[in-house]
Amino acid sequence: MALAPERPSGHVLGLHASGMLTARGVGAALAGAAAEHMPSSTAMALTAAASPAVTLALVVSAPARRG
């Protein structure tokens, strides 16, 4: 929200929320697909490791905040 222009900030927030909900569904589907091909404990461990890795990649690739 800090990088969004003030006028369309509601649209930016809505788009962010939609993206987060979509990512949850895609992540659950990927974890389920992985669990079909390996032990569920391994699939859960891979999913747990992927979450901070994706978060770190997004933080590193994000533009710097304007101050």
Side-chain angles (χ1 to χ4, degrees), residues 18-32:
S18 296
M20 293 294 288
L21 288 173
T22 301
R24 286 181 191 163
V26 170
L30 290 174

Side-chain angles (χ1 to χ4, degrees), residues 2-5 10 19 21 25 27 33-34 36 44-46 51 53 58 64:
L3 297 176
L21 288 173
E36 291 287 327
M44 289 190 69
L46 289 175
S51 179
L58 291 172

Side-chain angles (χ1 to χ4, degrees), residues 25-62:
V26 170
L30 290 174
E36 291 287 327
H37 301 287
M38 62 184 69
S40 58
S41 59
T42 303
M44 289 190 69
L46 289 175
T47 303
S51 179
V54 169
T55 301
L56 181 61
L58 291 172
V59 167
V60 168
S61 68

Side-chain angles (χ1 to χ4, degrees), residues 1-13 66:
M1 291 299 302
L3 297 176
E6 191 165 326
R7 184 161 173 94
S9 62
H11 294 285
V12 172
L13 186 58
R66 294 181 221 162

